Amino acid sequence: SRVARRPPGTGAVRHARGLCQNRTMIETPQVIQCSVGMRWGDMDAYGHVNNVEILRILEEARIHAFGPPGGTGGPGREPVVALFNNVPAGTQALVAEHRVKYLIPLTYRNIPADIAVWISALKGASLTIAYVIRDPVTGETCAKAETTLAFVDGGTGRLLRIVPEQKELLRPYLGASVF
């Protein structure tokens, strides 16, 4: 069964479009498991989720796991790790790079895709988020990806350092790269 294949979680947070839970990887770091809904419009003419929509799914998983950027959207539920919604006013979390390896097509289904999320690099002024997207029925890995983000002062455009409190918050989720 699906439940038997998953290790017990250390907590759960339900979100409007899915569920994220802390999970412990065998290698030691914490992994956040998210379920992100697929939309009918995500499907392309081949019957699978379009490669561009995979990036949207990654974005949704990132927001479920780490929160919406401070000052955006309305109040909601707390993310598993409150990183982005606890930054100083005017701070932007900007994508510096995406890297995606498509392994097999993610077939559209009316149930959410399973995404494992963790931090694969934590540097002075950037962090890299790793993802593994799995088919929710077969459990097969469809794609693996990484997104590098940098914090920027929205008023000046200057790059901001990741402060010690943020690094400490993310340290339990620091694991290996998917590449």
Side-chain angles (χ1 to χ4, degrees):
S1 79
R2 285 190 39 73
V3 175
R5 285 187 280 160
R6 292 183 171 185
T10 57
V13 178
R14 186 161 296 283
H15 296 276
R17 292 197 65 198
L19 173 73
C20 290
Q21 295 183 322
N22 289 343
R23 305 278 189 203
T24 304
M25 281 181 62
I26 296 169
E27 300 88 20
T28 306
Q30 293 286 317
V31 171
I32 301 166
Q33 292 289 347
C34 298
S35 295
V36 176
M38 293 181 261
R39 303 176 303 187
W40 178 256
D42 293 347
M43 186 174 41
D44 62 18
Y46 299 112
H48 61 264
V49 176
N50 185 276
N51 64 307
V52 173
E53 296 303 326
I54 293 290
L55 291 174
R56 183 198 56 78
I57 289 172
L58 297 178
E59 177 183 56
E60 289 293 327
R62 182 170 66 245
I63 298 306
H64 286 327
F66 300 111
T72 62
R77 297 191 177 161
E78 282 297 308
V80 176
V81 180
L83 174 66
F84 299 132
N85 55 347
N86 284 331
V87 296
T91 300
Q92 299 174 347
L94 300 180
V95 173
E97 179 180 8
H98 283 300
R99 184 174 177 196
V100 182
K101 176 82 172 177
Y102 300 98
L103 303 170
I104 61 172
L106 175 59
T107 302
Y108 169 79
R109 300 178 190 284
N110 66 352
I111 56 175
D114 295 328
I115 300 95
V117 181
W118 67 94
I119 303 297
S120 61
L122 190 54
K123 299 180 180 178
S126 69
L127 63 109
T128 302
I129 300 171
Y131 315 84
V132 172
I133 299 176
R134 289 190 176 85
D135 183 289
V137 172
T138 68
E140 292 179 282
T141 298
C142 300
K144 56 186 182 177
E146 290 189 337
T147 301
T148 300
L149 298 170
F151 290 116
V152 174
D153 182 304
T156 66
R158 290 188 49 202
L159 198 57
L160 299 173
R161 307 281 300 165
I162 297 176
V163 297
E165 294 81 15
Q166 292 167 322
K167 287 183 178 182
E168 195 58 37
L169 181 67
L170 295 173
R171 199 168 317 285
Y173 302 92
L174 188 57
S177 171
V178 295
F179 296 110

